[in-house]
Amino acid sequence: DIKNSVKNADYVILSVPVSSLHLVVEQIREKVPNRALVMDTCAVKEIPMKIMSQLKCNVMGTHPQFRKVHSVQGKSIILAGKMDPYFSRIYKKLGLRIIHMRAKEHDKIMAVVGIATFVGLSLIRLLTPYERQILNKYAGTSSKNLMRLLESMEKNSLTTYEDIQKYNSYSKKLRERFIKILVNFNRTL
């Protein structure tokens, strides 16, 4: 029971997709102690920080820049909001590189990073299994590298990639610019 699991907590880490974050915050809002620190791990920051601000406690946005790894040594974590000294010491002890920035700055940067995932998601939806087989069998090195990247993306949660596009207000402008470039490029061919 999530409500009861947070009632005596000093720290709560919400590791859920941004699309579900409001539901979780709604469930814990009245139970999380005022002294607690609540953190999210979403890949966007403005919306989660706004959602978590409904809580009567301290909140901090985190965005780990890694997936399933054996060690976080040398990996980066982006923090938005008030820096918590306890977690700051833990992150440093683990060898994490801490990048502190505002939620808005984070989302602007991640929109640029996210355009690559948008292209990847588009290709995943475009190519049939047969077309993928053709690419894997006959394509040159660059295309095969692209296919490996797409296969790697598919091993992760596509919901995360979609949420980055859907819940980052800066992503839409870049997507539209990219599509316009594609349309214009297609016209020149």
Side-chain angles (χ1 to χ4, degrees), residues 10-186:
D10 292 322
Y11 299 96
V12 178
I13 300 173
L14 304 176
S15 185
V16 297
V18 67
S19 53
S20 303
L21 187 65
H22 70 285
L23 298 171
V24 175
V25 168
E26 182 69 31
Q27 289 179 13
I28 68 169
R29 183 185 335 215
E30 300 302 321
K31 295 289 186 177
V32 68
N34 293 351
R35 71 177 186 285
L37 171 68
V38 176
M39 300 175 281
D40 78 303
T41 60
C42 298
V44 296
K45 287 281 103 26
E46 282 191 298
I47 289 176
M49 294 299 287
K50 184 177 181 182
I51 291 170
M52 292 189 303
S53 72
Q54 301 169 26
L55 300 169
K56 298 174 185 139
C57 61
N58 291 319
V59 298
M60 184 170 71
T62 72
H63 183 185
Q65 297 296 290
F66 51 88
R67 287 255 175 216
K68 300 170 190 165
V69 293
H70 297 292
S71 168
V72 295
Q73 180 78 33
K75 304 291 185 195
S76 298
I77 187 163
I78 298 173
L79 303 179
K82 184 179 176 188
M83 179 76 81
D84 181 77
Y86 175 74
F87 269 90
S88 183
R89 283 192 305 276
I90 289 174
Y91 292 152
K92 285 178 184 174
K93 191 173 183 177
L94 290 171
L96 277 166
R97 187 170 72 95
I98 299 170
I99 303 167
H100 194 261
M101 63 180 67
R102 295 182 188 282
K104 182 177 184 175
E105 179 185 10
H106 170 276
D107 285 1
K108 283 182 176 182
I109 290 168
M110 288 302 129
V112 174
V113 173
I115 197 68
T117 60
F118 174 71
V119 172
L121 287 170
S122 300
L123 288 173
I124 287 169
R125 286 175 170 79
L126 170 71
L127 298 172
T128 66
Y130 176 71
E131 290 165 334
R132 288 180 186 205
Q133 280 182 323
I134 291 171
L135 277 170
N136 282 321
K137 188 172 183 177
Y138 299 107
T141 304
S142 296
S143 295
K144 285 183 180 176
N145 287 340
L146 177 61
M147 289 306 299
R148 277 195 290 280
L149 174 65
L150 296 178
E151 288 165 5
S152 171
M153 284 180 72
E154 283 185 309
K155 289 178 186 171
N156 294 314
S157 167
L158 292 182
T159 302
T160 300
Y161 296 125
E162 290 168 354
D163 279 357
I164 290 169
Q165 294 301 315
K166 192 184 295 184
Y167 294 98
N168 184 330
S169 63
Y170 305 99
S171 293
K172 185 176 181 180
K173 290 178 187 173
L174 275 175
R175 284 195 316 270
E176 288 171 348
R177 197 169 93 205
F178 175 71
I179 291 167
K180 186 177 179 180
I181 288 168
L182 282 178
V183 168
N184 289 337
F185 179 54
N186 189 47

